[in-house]
Amino acid sequence: MIPKAHKDEVFSPPVTPESWRAAASQFKQTWNIPHAVGALDGKHIAIKKSSHTGSLFYNYRGCFSIPLLALVEVDYKFVWIKFGGKRHMSDAQIFGDSRLFNFLEREVLGLPPAFPLTTSSDDLQDMPFFILGDGAFALRKFLMKPYSRRKMSSEERIFNYRPSRGRRVMENGFGILASKFRCLLRTL
């Protein structure tokens, strides 16, 4: 556990429109995804069944675990985490029950206002800044997810490629975390 005195040194999420724009600029430069500010996903930390907990920590994978949900920037920096959930909640349910979701819904997280992606078209549409998520999450103004249909057009397949590629920062972030804290690779 991180002492509260060191919390700002370890977790310093962007809170100003300028810092979110900088994160989005890095995503665009690295992964060619404009307006993305981070990637969100969950990981189950395997645990042994605690006494007197019944099926409280039993998950859909058939083992006992505690979920870890995190938001990671393009440089693999964890800027937000939520550890634990009620019963066997999904990533989307844990996210919907989080302060991050609440702040995003109320638009008090400091994300910059939406603006057009390009200036080359006559019919410019504003595009909000967003977080990349997988198919488990619901599409929202602040959360982009891939198309989930089986038969997709060529444009939809190309679109799916980019957010999926950008979400690799999340998978890599969890890999780096597990290699640093080797205990996460086995049952606690």
Side-chain angles (χ1 to χ4, degrees), residues 2 13 18-19 36 44 60 83 94 117 132 134 136 148 155 168:
I2 300 167
E18 295 77 27
S19 56
H44 284 268
Y60 65 93
F83 192 67
I94 293 169
L117 294 176
L132 295 170
D134 62 14
S148 55
E155 292 85 9
R168 285 176 34 194

Side-chain angles (χ1 to χ4, degrees), residues 6-57:
H6 299 291
K7 181 180 74 79
D8 292 335
E9 294 172 28
V10 178
F11 290 104
S12 55
V15 292
T16 64
E18 295 77 27
S19 56
W20 285 114
R21 275 192 201 93
S25 175
Q26 284 184 302
F27 253 100
K28 183 175 183 188
Q29 183 179 359
T30 307
W31 300 108
N32 197 15
I33 306 170
H35 288 228
V37 297
L40 180 73
D41 203 3
K43 175 178 178 52
H44 284 268
I45 309 298
I47 61 169
K48 289 184 182 177
K49 181 186 178 296
S50 302
S51 59
H52 309 296
T53 59
S55 63
L56 186 62
F57 297 105

Side-chain angles (χ1 to χ4, degrees), residues 5-154:
H6 299 291
K7 181 180 74 79
D8 292 335
E9 294 172 28
V10 178
F11 290 104
S12 55
V15 292
T16 64
E18 295 77 27
S19 56
W20 285 114
R21 275 192 201 93
S25 175
Q26 284 184 302
F27 253 100
K28 183 175 183 188
Q29 183 179 359
T30 307
W31 300 108
N32 197 15
I33 306 170
H35 288 228
V37 297
L40 180 73
D41 203 3
K43 175 178 178 52
H44 284 268
I45 309 298
I47 61 169
K48 289 184 182 177
K49 181 186 178 296
S50 302
S51 59
H52 309 296
T53 59
S55 63
L56 186 62
F57 297 105
Y58 194 74
N59 68 29
Y60 65 93
R61 295 179 180 177
C63 65
F64 291 89
S65 68
I66 297 176
L68 170 67
L69 190 68
L71 176 64
V72 175
E73 286 184 332
V74 75
D75 57 358
Y76 311 117
K77 179 181 172 188
F78 284 71
V79 293
W80 176 85
I81 61 168
K82 177 158 175 82
F83 192 67
K86 298 173 186 153
R87 301 254 173 216
H88 47 277
M89 295 171 72
S90 69
D91 292 346
Q93 290 170 320
I94 293 169
F95 178 56
D97 197 34
S98 71
R99 291 178 67 198
L100 177 63
F101 178 83
N102 188 5
F103 290 162
L104 288 165
E105 276 281 304
R106 294 183 311 157
E107 298 181 2
V108 295
L109 202 58
L111 288 175
F115 67 87
L117 294 176
T118 65
T119 57
S120 62
S121 173
D122 291 336
D123 120 39
L124 298 175
Q125 294 184 3
D126 287 343
M127 177 72 173
F129 286 80
F130 56 86
I131 293 169
L132 295 170
D134 62 14
F137 296 99
L139 182 65
R140 300 213 174 254
K141 179 178 158 184
F142 53 81
L143 194 135
M144 182 70 64
K145 69 178 232 169
Y147 286 103
S148 55
R149 292 184 288 228
R150 293 192 191 280
K151 295 182 181 181
M152 293 183 282
S153 68
S154 163

